[in-house]
Amino acid sequence: MAGKGTFAGLPWWVTWVVVPVVLLVVFGSLIASAVGFLIGLLFKVLIAVALIAGVVYLARRIKGSSSSSSRSDW
């Protein structure tokens, strides 16, 4: 593996501390925008599910109340 050969002679702290920190500094804004996009998408999905559930609840409640009154008319 080329990766093992590259980091073979270096101390452990370079591999496990410096390399991740450099990657976070370089790609930090990209990671933050991706996480922000995912959180925003999840929030919108939850709002949509709540609104649809509310409409279904109201439709069933209205349908149930109108059908019960029509039954009592008979």
Side-chain angles (χ1 to χ4, degrees):
M1 296 273 153
K4 288 187 177 184
T6 303
F7 297 114
L10 298 174
W12 67 270
W13 55 271
V14 172
T15 304
W16 297 105
V17 176
V18 175
V19 172
V21 168
V22 168
L23 290 176
L24 281 174
V25 168
V26 172
F27 295 108
S29 62
L30 178 66
I31 294 169
S33 64
V35 169
F37 173 76
L38 290 176
I39 290 173
L41 184 65
L42 179 65
F43 180 72
K44 289 177 183 178
V45 167
L46 289 175
I47 292 294
V49 167
L51 289 173
I52 291 171
V55 169
V56 168
Y57 173 76
L58 287 175
R60 286 186 178 177
R61 186 169 178 172
I62 290 171
K63 181 181 175 188
S65 66
S66 66
S67 65
S68 66
S69 65
S70 64
R71 283 186 200 149
S72 63
D73 291 342
W74 287 97

